[in-house]
Amino acid sequence: MTIVGASLSGLYAARELRAQGYDGRLVIIGDEPHTPYDRPPLSKDFLTGRADETQLALSDAEESAELGAEWILGVRARALDARDRTVLLDDGRTVSTDGLVIATGASARRLPGYALAGVHTLRTLDDARALREELTRGPRRVVVIGGGFIGAETASSSSSLGHSVTVVEAAPLPLVPQLGAEMAAVCAALHRRADVDLVTGTGVAGLRGAAAVTGVDLTDGRTLPADIVIVGIGATPNTAWLAGSPLALQDGVLCDDGCVTALPQVVAVGDIASVGGHRAEHWTSATRQPKAAVTNLLAGRTAETAVAVPYFWSDQYGARIQFAGRHRDGDTVRITEGELSGGAPAEGGFLARYERDGRTTAVLAVDRPRPFMRARRELARGAGEERARSVLR
């Protein structure tokens, strides 16, 4: 068996293969030189210096020995030859395999044409090292492009280090697709409460600077002075190496509900997998999908599904935001615990329920972890019952 992607989901797939009884040759290929590490702390504790690299490691020497895997790190997969069942590597080597787990994740989108010092993305450990080194040089003017989760978390970390921070978001509010306008406005208030400037409804026209960035030009004609620019405008699934293969590629690798691709001996997990038409770039999906994917890979058919209620969390400005379910336009939102103060979460946070046709479809909490977990379990039970009813119809 071969796993392409020495990532969180790749490591979990390796663990599942051994746990489910596979005792043959196991090869894990990764384009980074690092063994698997945890990405969420990169924008938070690692960036601020509260965590070091040893705390990011997802496995140790003892587990590596137990897995008995052959690691090929620092080398990209270049192509998949489905007919010969081989993975071609950038260094000219080929790896033959009876089964393949695709876990190559996604790459940060960049602003095209701007190779200036001081401009950063944050996706990998090397990205985080470079950004942390700059953020420790004393007070700087930081502009974060994009108000999504990575943008908000890096803005929060930068602010906590004493920098002057501005977040630029092209949409009227950050996180509207995920949370809806009403709750997105509440989360936007967290930026302002922390004295971080939030500029919305305008895009980026370009960057200023010769060798190093000095400013960000906005589409409304303004220019923001900047010593550091952090680009957080989303990620693109790493599917280029699969071009020309029989796999269906559309915003990721298309899979059925069990992570099985168009080729029964190939499954996909994590950020690259579009499972049942949905691609989720979240830690929870990356850790849960491998169990079903490996079960189906070993069975040679879809015997188990990986469909689950979507869940994500984000830590911003000392607040923990948790969300489960799917928001849709037209949902009614009710705060059922806690309250708001001046449009922001009051002390003690709150729990909000999204409702449609008399039933809860999603829940959002800020600093209410226990009530949220109860509501999330209720949501999962309801989703399971709905799936069961649909099977019986």
Side-chain angles (χ1 to χ4, degrees), residues 330-391:
D331 287 351
T332 300
V333 184
R334 290 190 305 119
I335 294 179
T336 56
E337 295 187 33
E339 58 186 3
L340 304 180
S341 175
E347 185 176 354
F350 69 88
L351 178 77
R353 293 178 179 266
Y354 294 66
E355 298 172 337
R356 188 184 319 121
D357 299 327
R359 65 186 184 90
T360 300
T361 58
V363 289
L364 168 69
V366 176
D367 293 334
R368 290 259 172 158
R370 290 184 179 178
F372 174 83
M373 293 307 294
R374 289 195 295 269
R376 182 186 172 195
R377 285 194 293 268
E378 293 170 9
L379 198 63
R381 283 196 297 270
E385 291 168 0
E386 181 62 28
R387 284 196 296 271
R389 284 193 294 268
S390 67
V391 169

Side-chain angles (χ1 to χ4, degrees), residues 111-146:
L111 290 178
Y114 293 99
L116 297 174
V119 179
H120 297 265
T121 57
L122 184 55
R123 184 79 187 182
T124 68
L125 175 57
D126 290 340
D127 291 340
R129 285 172 173 170
L131 180 56
R132 185 166 82 162
E133 196 276 330
E134 283 215 51
L135 290 173
T136 57
R137 293 180 184 173
R140 315 293 289 277
R141 298 166 300 179
V142 178
V143 175
V144 179
I145 301 173

Side-chain angles (χ1 to χ4, degrees), residues 64-299:
S64 294
E66 290 174 354
L67 285 176
E70 177 185 343
W71 295 83
I72 302 176
L73 299 177
V75 181
R76 292 182 181 276
R78 180 165 55 86
L80 169 64
D81 187 331
R83 184 178 61 183
D84 291 341
R85 294 191 175 188
T86 57
V87 176
L88 286 65
L89 305 184
D90 261 353
D91 63 5
R93 282 181 286 176
T94 61
V95 177
S96 300
T97 187
D98 293 325
L100 175 65
V101 180
I102 298 172
T104 45
S107 296
R109 289 194 181 98
R110 301 176 183 273
L111 290 178
Y114 293 99
L116 297 174
V119 179
H120 297 265
T121 57
L122 184 55
R123 184 79 187 182
T124 68
L125 175 57
D126 290 340
D127 291 340
R129 285 172 173 170
L131 180 56
R132 185 166 82 162
E133 196 276 330
E134 283 215 51
L135 290 173
T136 57
R137 293 180 184 173
R140 315 293 289 277
R141 298 166 300 179
V142 178
V143 175
V144 179
I145 301 173
F149 296 114
I150 290 296
E153 290 172 3
T154 54
S156 171
S157 295
S158 298
S159 176
S160 73
L161 292 170
H163 301 292
S164 172
V165 182
T166 301
V167 176
V168 179
E169 170 57 52
L173 285 167
L175 303 176
V176 169
Q178 295 88 353
L179 305 181
E182 186 177 349
M183 290 295 104
V186 173
C187 291
L190 294 173
H191 293 283
R192 299 188 177 99
R193 191 168 71 182
D195 293 326
V196 169
D197 290 335
L198 178 61
V199 177
T200 61
T202 186
V204 172
L207 303 181
R208 294 198 173 193
V213 69
T214 59
V216 178
D217 291 333
L218 304 182
T219 53
D220 64 7
R222 284 181 289 172
T223 296
L224 303 175
D227 304 303
I228 298 173
V229 172
I230 303 167
V231 181
I233 54 176
T236 305
N238 294 323
T239 57
W241 70 282
L242 297 168
S245 75
L247 300 180
L249 307 177
Q250 184 179 337
D251 186 37
V253 177
L254 293 182
C255 312
D256 67 11
D257 287 350
C259 299
V260 178
T261 71
L263 298 171
Q265 74 275 18
V266 179
V267 296
V269 293
D271 292 354
I272 197 172
S274 180
V275 179
H278 297 282
R279 192 171 67 83
E281 295 180 14
H282 301 301
W283 190 92
T284 308
S285 300
T287 57
R288 288 190 170 182
Q289 290 171 357
K291 183 178 186 298
V294 166
T295 297
N296 299 332
L297 180 62
L298 295 176

